[in-house]
Amino acid sequence: MAVKIGEHIDLGEFPLLLAPMEDVSDPPFRYVCKQNGVDMMYTEFISSEGLIRDAAKSRQKLDIFEYERPIGIQIFGSDIAHMRQSAEICTLANPDLIDINYGCPVKNVVCKGAGSSLLQDVDKMVAMTKAVVEATHLPVTVKTRLGWDDNTKNIYEVAERLQDIGIKALAIHGRTRAQMYKGQADWRMIREVKQNPRVKIPIFGNGDVDSVEKAAAWRQEFEVDGIMIGRASIGYPWIFREIKHFFQTGERLEGPTIAERVEVCKTHLTKSIEWKGEKTGIFEMRRHYANYFKGIPNFKEYRMQLVGLQNHQEILEVLEEINDKFAEEVVS
């Protein structure tokens, strides 16, 4: 049976979603993930305060492209009226849905009363979500965590109450805020939310899915409607096509060749320059090189070259050199 968000977003039988990641899931990165079969994506999270102030960085994050659909714009904030207003601004950008971030654990978000901080005040979370739902005709979804800490795991209450005021899907990261990204994600509570007969909306699991085998095993074990993948896709957008191939055939797809790694890295770089301009595009691409070529022995010298260059053509030449030198390498 197809997984649907609202009336119009059909994600197929078992969708793979790209998690919204700050400083990662911008349009250039989303492009290479879409090329590799991801079913739904989100923008980086956008500050409601930044949108209202018309801050350039926040506005730029509203950029979405037709080929990305279905795509959601994710917002976060601590002021209910400002979240309502930012939902209205996002609606004008014409995404397929609006997602609210109640999961970000980082200090400078939480200390302002946003992100996973709202897990400490479910009444306010419900009121904020209701304001966003009422501010837009688009489906509203939520991404959150199991709870604030081990003593206050309140995801069961959160799921029921947010569904009751109109959200259309819920993505759950299997950690508390206190865990940050440490330890292992616990998907058992995600399964229990899914098994709750009161919960009718799609439930997506997130946290630690970094292999085909894990995706297949957890799909069966935890009975979620789909899987959201974040960190494992950084520098490895092929994870989506590999998981899909395994679901369809039961067979493991060969990993990308060096030539494929180089080609996708070039595409990512080119898209980055097209979207941000040459100077910023090249600078922001630097964080991705090590991930694209992870596992290649003795790569440090090339990585240092790539992060030091400031000219598009020179970077392309180094990437070609990498292609020639490592063509026969088997990447672990």
Side-chain angles (χ1 to χ4, degrees), residues 118-127 154 157-158 161:
L118 274 301
L119 285 162
Q120 298 176 101
D121 188 346
V122 179
D123 287 345
K124 183 176 178 183
M125 180 194 283
V126 170
N154 50 6
E157 177 191 356
V158 166
R161 291 184 66 184

Side-chain angles (χ1 to χ4, degrees), residues 25-92:
S25 48
D26 57 10
F29 181 71
R30 298 198 303 260
Y31 181 87
V32 296
C33 289
K34 190 71 176 180
Q35 297 290 98
N36 280 281
V38 70
D39 294 297
M40 192 167 85
M41 306 186 290
Y42 304 81
T43 62
E44 300 171 78
F45 72 170
I46 308 176
S47 159
S48 57
E49 306 298 326
L51 283 177
I52 290 166
R53 290 197 317 271
D54 206 22
K57 190 174 181 188
S58 296
R59 284 283 176 169
Q60 189 185 33
K61 289 181 182 178
L62 291 175
D63 286 356
I64 54 177
F65 300 89
E66 282 303 309
Y67 63 78
E68 298 184 296
R69 297 189 185 281
I71 184 162
I73 292 176
Q74 191 188 67
I75 54 175
F76 74 100
S78 61
D79 183 281
I80 293 173
H82 289 175
M83 284 290 280
R84 179 189 292 113
Q85 198 177 336
S86 65
E88 292 168 355
I89 294 167
C90 290
T91 302
L92 296 175

Side-chain angles (χ1 to χ4, degrees), residues 125-182:
M125 180 194 283
V126 170
M128 183 178 285
T129 307
K130 188 169 188 286
V132 171
V133 168
E134 290 173 352
T136 181
H137 67 279
L138 297 168
V140 173
T141 62
V142 162
K143 183 168 191 276
T144 190
R145 289 181 169 235
L146 301 178
W148 178 254
D149 58 26
D150 282 343
N151 299 317
T152 56
K153 290 181 178 176
N154 50 6
I155 189 61
Y156 308 131
E157 177 191 356
V158 166
E160 287 190 5
R161 291 184 66 184
L162 294 187
Q163 175 185 262
D164 290 349
I165 50 98
I167 71 164
K168 301 301 183 188
L170 178 65
I172 306 169
H173 183 103
R175 289 180 173 86
T176 62
R177 188 273 165 171
Q179 284 180 274
M180 302 292 284
Y181 294 99
K182 294 172 185 167

Side-chain angles (χ1 to χ4, degrees), residues 258 323-330:
I258 297 295
N323 191 23
D324 294 340
K325 177 166 181 180
F326 297 103
E328 303 304 317
E329 291 283 356
V330 176

